[in-house]
Amino acid sequence: MNKLYIIFLVATTALGCVSCNNEWEDEQFYQMASFKAQPNAQGVTTTYVRYVSEGTRQYKLPIIISGSTMNSSNRDVHVVVDNDTLETLNYEHYGEREELYFQQMPADYYSFPETVTVQAGECQTVLPIDFKLGGADNQTPLDQADKWVLPLTIVDDESYNYTANPRKYYRKALLRFTPFNDYSGTYDGTQLRITMEGAPSGEGNLQINEHRSFVVDENTIFFYMGHRDIDYLDRKLYKVFVEFTDEDVEGAQIGAKKLNLWTDNPGTQGNNFTILTEDDNGDPFQAYYTKWEEMDATKPYMKHIYIILYIRYAYEDYTTAPGVRLKYTVSGSLSMQRDLNTLIPDEDQQIQW
């Protein structure tokens, strides 16, 4: 019995002395090239770029080499424009409603290198994309009433020294191009009254909680009139442009600056946009805005910028009911708070979108 016990003990000790394989030192997964571009519910990645009418603005799209161990080789990752995926995405989201489709950005408005290198000992690099927001001639900016997307894909080939990630949202990046300026963003609309003329009392008032604005140039944005937004098929017929000036407005509150309003579809053949020059009391009225900023009381690195627009205009809806022109009056204020994390150096990421 003792002999069997001794034999068992020796065998157990021998097994314990056998060298083990350090599996954590070996690659546990496949090393693949992927974009770092988190898509939203629509399948695209919102890409914020500061608007400039001349020159270019650069956006850096991260590319990573996945795996549990560090990349040990210089890998030249090839990237091209993907001309197929956007068509499939549009049909999946919008069916036959082509007016709502994402549009592929024309080649005149961007440039990027065909390859970027992930150096040995590193697992990430960036693809620099230069956006030319004013077009080739700096005079033809893209109409933001269209949903511009730059679709990119990582190219795979047996001759390349990497493998592209086969999963759709890792291998492909659908960049939803969104330029911004000092005034663009989503405004709170709870203080803006939208009233339909001739409607029974209390039944013609509309309220939209949020009004999204879009960039035209450095000092100009546009909204959609009344209750319309970017998902309306006829949205391009109902744009109201708002230019922010440095001209003081007399008789308004301290710090008030003049706003210029207009539309690109005026007259009785269009939306018949009219600026209202009197307030509810019959006193003269000039559209204006106020803007101020302050640091957060408890987070000293957080800056808050506040913008309030005071506007009054009228327009006619001539497409909802063909042959009938529905008259609306819009009056009140729109407000926006923009929060900036001053610890972040890149402006597009500094803004808390």
Side-chain angles (χ1 to χ4, degrees):
M1 184 69 180
N2 289 337
K3 185 179 294 184
L4 290 176
Y5 176 77
I6 293 173
I7 293 174
F8 175 77
L9 183 61
V10 171
T12 303
T13 303
L15 287 174
C17 294
V18 174
S19 60
C20 297
N21 187 32
N22 295 333
E23 68 275 0
W24 59 86
E25 296 179 357
D26 298 330
E27 180 59 64
Q28 301 297 301
F29 307 99
Y30 293 107
Q31 288 194 337
M32 297 180 178
S34 309
F35 287 122
K36 188 178 181 181
Q38 182 67 34
N40 59 22
Q42 295 178 311
V44 296
T45 301
T46 304
T47 304
Y48 294 101
V49 180
R50 162 69 75 171
Y51 182 89
V52 290
S53 58
E54 298 182 358
T56 61
R57 298 291 290 189
Q58 190 172 93
Y59 178 81
K60 297 178 180 179
L61 177 62
I63 295 178
I64 61 176
I65 300 295
S66 62
S68 61
T69 61
M70 182 56 68
N71 170 44
S72 60
S73 303
N74 291 338
R75 302 180 190 273
D76 297 324
V77 181
H78 297 247
V79 178
V80 299
V81 174
D82 184 353
N83 295 310
D84 301 322
T85 302
L86 193 58
E87 181 179 351
T88 303
L89 179 72
N90 278 329
Y91 190 80
E92 288 177 349
H93 278 268
Y94 301 112
E96 303 293 342
R97 303 174 68 190
E98 296 185 5
E99 297 86 348
L100 300 179
Y101 279 12
F102 294 110
Q103 304 295 321
Q104 183 167 323
M105 182 179 291
D108 290 345
Y109 292 87
Y110 64 86
S111 63
F112 60 86
E114 294 181 356
T115 62
V116 290
T117 301
V118 182
Q119 300 290 340
E122 298 180 0
C123 60
Q124 179 172 312
T125 188
V126 294
L127 174 70
I129 305 173
D130 292 322
F131 288 103
K132 194 172 182 61
L133 307 185
D137 58 359
N138 291 322
Q139 300 296 322
T140 53
L142 292 172
D143 184 357
Q144 295 305 312
D146 290 313
K147 306 174 184 179
W148 299 107
V149 170
L150 176 58
L152 302 175
T153 187
I154 297 175
V155 182
D156 211 355
D157 191 274
E158 293 182 357
S159 63
Y160 298 157
N161 62 345
Y162 68 90
T163 301
N165 196 310
R167 296 182 179 274
K168 179 170 63 173
Y169 290 124
Y170 293 85
R171 181 173 186 157
K172 301 178 184 294
L174 305 181
L175 304 182
R176 171 71 169 94
F177 173 67
T178 307
F180 69 93
N181 61 19
D182 289 338
Y183 311 101
S184 62
T186 301
Y187 284 75
D188 179 86
T190 55
Q191 300 301 313
L192 190 70
R193 294 176 298 168
I194 306 170
T195 306
M196 185 172 67
E197 182 180 308
S201 177
E203 295 183 12
N205 296 327
L206 302 175
Q207 185 182 77
I208 308 300
N209 290 334
E210 293 183 343
H211 293 261
R212 182 180 173 188
S213 65
F214 302 86
V215 168
V216 178
D217 58 35
E218 287 91 339
N219 298 308
T220 308
I221 60 177
F222 76 83
F223 294 95
Y224 293 111
M225 296 179 185
H227 59 281
R228 279 173 170 75
D229 60 29
I230 196 170
D231 289 325
Y232 273 70
L233 300 181
D234 59 359
R235 62 189 182 276
K236 292 186 178 181
L237 304 176
Y238 298 94
K239 292 191 290 186
V240 54
F241 295 86
V242 181
E243 180 187 24
F244 294 76
T245 74
D246 289 328
E247 184 179 343
D248 293 329
V249 177
E250 295 182 4
Q253 57 183 288
I254 297 175
K257 301 291 184 180
K258 180 181 178 181
L259 291 174
N260 292 324
L261 277 62
W262 73 92
T263 186
D264 59 355
N265 184 31
T268 56
Q269 300 301 312
N271 56 51
N272 205 18
F273 175 80
T274 304
I275 297 175
L276 302 181
T277 57
E278 294 183 351
D279 62 19
D280 292 336
N281 298 321
D283 297 325
F285 175 82
Q286 166 64 54
Y288 67 95
Y289 74 99
T290 59
K291 179 182 179 183
W292 72 99
E293 62 184 53
E294 64 182 14
M295 301 304 293
D296 190 272
T298 59
K299 301 176 180 178
Y301 57 87
M302 189 71 71
K303 178 190 291 187
H304 304 298
I305 300 176
Y306 304 96
I307 303 174
I308 303 180
L309 317 183
Y310 299 87
I311 57 177
R312 295 176 65 88
Y313 66 87
Y315 75 98
E316 295 179 359
D317 180 345
Y318 64 101
T319 55
T320 298
V324 178
R325 301 185 72 90
L326 304 175
K327 298 181 180 181
Y328 288 90
T329 298
V330 180
S331 63
S333 63
L334 292 167
S335 60
M336 179 178 72
Q337 175 180 322
R338 177 176 285 185
D339 298 327
L340 287 77
N341 185 340
T342 59
L343 297 178
I344 301 175
D346 295 330
E347 185 181 24
D348 61 312
Q349 300 178 40
Q350 187 180 77
I351 301 173
Q352 307 299 292
W353 302 106

